[in-house]
Amino acid sequence: MVTGAMQLWLRAIITLLILIITEGHPVDITYLQSAVAKGAVCLDGSPPAYHFDKGFGAGVNNWFIQLEGGAWCNNATTCLARTKTRLGSSKLMVKTVSFSGILSNKAKFNPDFYNWNRIRIRYCDGSSFTGDVEAVDPKTKVFYRGARIFSAVMDDFLAQGMKNAQNAILAGCSAGSLAAILHCDRFKGLLPPGAKVKCLSDAGFFINAKTVSGASHIEQFYGEVVNTHGSAKNLPQSCTSRLNPGLCFFPQNVAQQIQTPLFLVNAAYDSWQIKNILAPGVADPRGTWRDCKLDILKCSSTQLETMQGYRLEFLKALNSLGPSSTRGYYINSCYAHCQTGTQETWLRDDSPRLAGTTIAKAVGDWYYDRKIFKEIDCPYPCDKTCKNRNFESDARPLDTDNIDD
């Protein structure tokens, strides 16, 4: 016998499937076999991969490239573990993904970029596409070659027509978004001098904050990522020339020196950052933050106060970038992570709004120079357009944590 609760659950699942079918469209995977000879491979040595939906009409010479997210691995053990997942092996990736949000091919859902060449590069190196170690780990047989993957796929796109690009955006979600920031100027340098090139960071502005126990967990972790993958030589020299390379994984230390126009989409209460930077499992052994991290409505008044403090730290890091005539940002107060690749948060009747504006309109206006958008939302819970969303389509917890999401 089907209970009332079961009926509601089934109805919700059916509604979600209908939305996926009507709002997204399937795009098959492409394995870049030619990259293997260049040593540009996933952690397990398999070829890099991407999903490519070709542009049409007026958008044939416009390119939108999204770098997939999925956290990082910081040592031989955690990187070996990733080789058993899609985040370390293209052999384990699904063959088809659904493009929606900023990747949609429908003008109704993506008015400014729907007819561009839209590409999603899969993430399988664990270093935000920055690693490059020549030697293969003799014990684990793991390859650390993320930067080579970035170069190889870009060469492939240039050969497929990106060398004639008129407009281009390098974007990403989470760890892929961090990669978009780190590779932003390099990407612009690959394209024709007359091309309009900008970069978009979605949930990639990770800040160097202490945990609830007072430890510098994320700073130590990023340092280990950079050391394990040999990333230092592929990070912006404007940062590594003055700071320890591990600190150059934090956008607050990098973005000010980026010459290419950059737009930041981020939640001030980024759900991944709350779970993994503020209150990771190692800093919360008794699990007192567990329910709060899964559902902001279950946070105690003390936990909410701590999260308000994290928001202030986030805004301080953002403000440290200083003024810029080309940089834009959309900082809302949703409990979310990655909002451009999901139709519900990118552009729909019930999408979040900041200053009465959807993320899609803010990004489109900024890219086409119709309006520079720089807005910061009021503190939680004043924004009623969020509906307590908690989207993490591309995110994964740090390999050192025991978060189960």
Side-chain angles (χ1 to χ4, degrees):
M1 182 176 178
V2 180
T3 64
M6 181 66 75
Q7 288 178 334
L8 290 174
W9 181 79
L10 289 173
R11 190 176 300 124
I13 293 296
I14 292 171
T15 300
L16 178 61
L17 290 173
I18 292 173
L19 287 174
I20 291 174
I21 293 171
T22 58
E23 294 181 349
H25 64 286
V27 180
D28 292 334
I29 198 168
T30 296
Y31 300 99
L32 189 56
Q33 298 288 352
S34 61
V36 176
K38 303 176 182 178
V41 293
C42 300
L43 290 167
D44 72 333
S46 58
Y50 58 78
H51 302 259
F52 189 166
D53 197 24
K54 293 188 179 297
F56 55 94
V60 292
N61 288 320
N62 300 335
W63 294 73
F64 179 87
I65 297 178
Q66 182 193 68
L67 300 167
E68 186 181 41
W72 310 268
C73 58
N74 63 323
N75 55 44
T77 300
T78 57
C79 289
L80 176 61
R82 282 171 79 102
T83 65
K84 313 303 181 185
T85 75
R86 66 169 179 83
L87 292 171
S89 174
S90 61
K91 299 175 184 177
L92 301 174
M93 296 173 182
V94 295
K95 301 299 187 289
T96 304
V97 299
S98 179
F99 274 19
S100 62
I102 200 169
L103 291 170
S104 175
N105 64 353
K106 297 181 175 63
K108 174 183 177 181
F109 297 130
N110 188 25
D112 285 308
F113 312 112
Y114 73 97
N115 59 357
W116 287 32
N117 293 285
R118 286 153 289 104
I119 301 168
R120 182 176 186 178
I121 301 174
R122 303 302 298 269
Y123 182 41
C124 64
D125 66 89
S127 72
S128 283
F129 298 91
T130 63
D132 191 357
V133 177
E134 181 64 34
V136 180
D137 189 311
K139 293 183 179 179
T140 63
K141 310 302 181 186
V142 169
F143 297 75
Y144 300 103
R145 304 283 180 76
R148 294 194 196 186
I149 290 176
F150 183 85
S151 296
V153 294
M154 291 301 152
D155 286 345
D156 187 52
F157 301 150
L158 288 168
Q160 293 192 60
M162 195 170 73
K163 63 182 179 182
N164 301 315
Q166 296 173 349
N167 295 284
I169 294 176
L170 179 66
C173 159
S174 193
S177 179
L178 173 60
I181 294 174
L182 298 175
H183 287 291
C184 184
D185 285 342
R186 186 176 296 122
F187 176 69
K188 179 176 174 58
L190 296 173
L191 300 177
K196 185 185 189 71
V197 183
K198 298 188 178 185
C199 299
L200 170 63
S201 165
D202 180 8
F205 200 81
F206 302 97
I207 66 170
N208 189 4
K210 288 183 167 56
T211 69
V212 290
S213 66
S216 299
H217 176 61
I218 191 65
E219 181 178 325
Q220 177 184 343
F221 184 86
Y222 274 175
E224 292 168 354
V225 171
V226 170
N227 288 334
T228 296
H229 292 266
S231 299
K233 59 182 173 291
N234 296 309
L235 300 175
Q237 289 186 349
S238 59
C239 180
T240 56
S241 63
R242 56 191 174 83
L243 294 175
N244 182 294
L247 294 175
C248 297
F249 242 50
F250 292 103
Q252 66 197 81
N253 297 326
V254 175
Q256 186 177 26
Q257 285 75 43
I258 292 175
Q259 301 299 308
T260 308
L262 173 67
F263 194 94
L264 303 170
V265 175
N266 229 103
Y269 309 88
D270 183 288
S271 56
W272 191 94
Q273 293 196 43
I274 297 298
K275 295 173 182 178
N276 293 277
I277 296 180
L278 177 63
V282 294
D284 181 37
R286 296 185 179 180
T288 56
W289 275 81
R290 188 173 186 82
D291 290 343
C292 172
K293 291 188 294 186
L294 293 175
D295 184 351
I296 195 171
L297 295 177
K298 295 181 180 179
C299 296
S300 68
S301 58
T302 301
Q303 288 170 330
L304 285 175
E305 185 177 349
T306 301
M307 289 169 66
Q308 297 292 10
Y310 190 87
R311 172 182 179 271
L312 293 178
E313 281 195 71
F314 179 90
L315 296 181
K316 181 180 179 181
L318 179 68
N319 290 332
S320 71
L321 301 183
S324 169
S325 60
T326 61
R327 191 185 311 124
Y329 48 81
Y330 190 110
I331 311 300
N332 61 15
S333 290
C334 302
Y335 189 59
H337 185 71
C338 293
Q339 301 179 80
T340 62
T342 305
Q343 198 61 54
E344 185 175 358
T345 44
W346 172 247
L347 179 60
R348 220 170 63 183
D349 291 343
D350 60 346
S351 294
R353 280 169 169 72
L354 180 53
T357 306
T358 62
I359 297 173
K361 182 159 184 6
V363 172
D365 285 349
W366 164 79
Y367 180 80
Y368 283 110
D369 301 316
R370 296 189 293 252
K371 178 183 178 183
I372 290 291
F373 193 93
K374 297 181 179 181
E375 294 287 344
I376 297 173
D377 210 350
C378 50
Y380 175 87
C382 72
D383 187 342
K384 304 305 180 185
T385 70
C386 289
K387 301 178 183 177
N388 300 307
R389 293 178 169 88
N390 182 10
F391 293 106
E392 299 194 8
S393 59
D394 268 357
R396 290 294 180 273
L398 295 182
D399 294 291
T400 54
D401 288 345
N402 57 4
I403 298 171
D404 192 15
D405 63 352

